[in-house]
Amino acid sequence: MKLPGIALFLFFSVALSAQNTQLQYKFRVYLKDKGNRAFSVSEPEKFLTPEAIERKKQQQVKIDQSDFPISPDYFNQLKNAGGKPISHSKWFKTIVIQLRDSSQIEDILRLPFVDSAKYVWRGIERNYRNPVRPRLGLPDCPEENKAENHFGLTEEQFALHNARNMSLSGFTGKGINVAVIDAGFTNVDVIPQFGEMNIAGFKNFVPEGEIFASSDHGTKVFSTMAVNLPEVMVGSAPSAMYYLLRSEDVTSEFPVEEDYWTRAVEYADSIGIDLINTSLGYTTFDDKSLNYKYENLDGKTSFMTLAADKAYEKGMILVASAGNEGNKPWQKISTPADAKNALTVGAIGTDSVIASFSSKGFTADNRLKPDIVSVGRGTVTIGYNGLFDFTNGTSLSSPFVAGLVASLWSINPEMHRAEVLDIVRQSSDRYNHPDSVYGYGIPDFGKAMKTVLGKLENNEKSVSEKYFSISRPAKNSFEITITEPDFSFDAYQVNLLDESGNLISTHEFENERLTVPITKEVEEANRFVHFVFKSPYTQKTVRFKL
């Protein structure tokens, strides 16, 4: 993917021997089936994690044969026929193989389980060795960077979306698993500002290059969501749990990267990811015969687009950047932004004006895209050098708003993904008059938060949850008890919110029981209040009628 406005840094040394300077080829091999390996939908634990099974149950997704792995025997037969398996897709029954000679594909096509094949890459095989990291810059004095508000440099970004109160009330993504699929995350593992982030795992789906040394595009993307430096820079979902996945090969541009991306999405599904951000997109390739045309933006042509919609079908929300082609001849969105169920994000500045580079809709089949817009001009980021910067691109508007969606969802993680997306769209300022530039416009997360809170169950007397209970000994007093403490009592906290979700007060435990009084002013101004019970790893929001 070409990434205008974003510097892609690649630091490596390449060793090429005489044997591997000739062109090699990669083909996407379509299979007739996935083999005879015994799997059953009644035993999903054999091919999915418990987290994935639970998410599918919660999102009302049936486990089916598309979730079954491909038989190892097929990989072995392809190897024996001269192919080197590089990637694969269980959803679409494909295996990507590398060949030393393109004519070898004829032998592959003779295999009884092979249906067809498509050329997706050609080039010289590279052997990356000892990638050299760029050095970190000298940071400014933290005290000089501090602002008088909680959000620091990102204050205007939160203000644009009316999202400040959502964050201050404690809805910052806790309980939501997020995957960031990108070109690489240079120095994320050593930059001090990322030290306290919740990175649960990382994985590289590109055969060459290293995830923390190949590109800082993902570093900047990730920073918009996950940084938590109060009064300096605050990301849109700093309490979410993150998985960093690399699918983009910045050394060339070929459709095989769609295969890497699809494999990353399938992996995200298998480990129980709730929300994916992808700031990658494709329209043109190094081999121009493989380029997409506008008529291909129909939601059913691109391999990547099909995978994006499949991700939604499997129970995940997928947020995608619209693309940076708005002021170029192409002008339109890129794939997978044309996916029917992707939340496609264009770029504006904090002045609410569209960025000239932000790609436009409609799709080839006349669907509205982008869906919404967010800050992508002058977005606050941290790059490979660990320094703060202001960066342009829908690559930044997408993750910032993706984090806000994750934070909104954290109010009630049991909410169906379709309902979450509907609430976000309906909160937007152009919902009643959308267009192909702004889509539905700028989401209002204060409005969305109030809607999500209003859909919680109304309680009047008492509530018993897994780790705590709430009773009401008097009309104007609530008693919260920790029933299964896993940590010291001071690790637990309760936020009291008003009917709209605004923070009234914060309370910390000194022992297993906490009393929260309701003042006369709060009672007169609200019909409902909300309690946000927070432990180090869990969060639960409960609604009470006054």
Side-chain angles (χ1 to χ4, degrees), residues 274-294:
D274 301 300
L275 183 149
I276 295 172
N277 179 80
T278 186
S279 294
L280 302 171
Y282 301 90
T283 55
T284 60
F285 300 100
D286 292 349
D287 183 340
K288 292 180 173 54
S289 68
L290 301 172
N291 287 357
Y292 287 117
K293 299 177 181 177
Y294 172 63

Side-chain angles (χ1 to χ4, degrees), residues 150-171:
H150 172 74
F151 301 99
L153 295 169
T154 49
E155 162 73 13
E156 292 185 355
Q157 293 177 199
F158 277 87
L160 178 79
H161 287 290
N162 190 23
R164 290 173 292 191
N165 286 342
M166 182 174 72
S167 181
L168 293 172
S169 293
F171 302 124

Side-chain angles (χ1 to χ4, degrees), residues 471-482:
S471 59
R472 196 172 186 177
K475 182 180 180 182
N476 60 348
S477 178
F478 290 84
E479 192 171 86
I480 302 160
T481 304
I482 302 174

Side-chain angles (χ1 to χ4, degrees), residues 426-450:
Q426 290 172 20
S427 75
S428 301
D429 64 343
R430 295 171 183 254
Y431 182 73
N432 293 321
H433 48 91
D435 59 41
S436 62
V437 178
Y438 290 85
Y440 291 113
I442 305 168
D444 181 330
F445 282 89
K447 183 177 178 181
M449 174 176 64
K450 185 175 181 179

Side-chain angles (χ1 to χ4, degrees), residues 169-200:
S169 293
F171 302 124
T172 55
K174 181 172 284 190
I176 305 298
N177 294 318
V178 177
V180 183
I181 305 178
D182 217 280
F185 304 87
T186 296
N187 283 347
V188 161
D189 57 333
V190 296
I191 292 172
Q193 293 92 324
F194 294 152
E196 300 300 318
M197 292 183 180
N198 302 317
I199 301 177

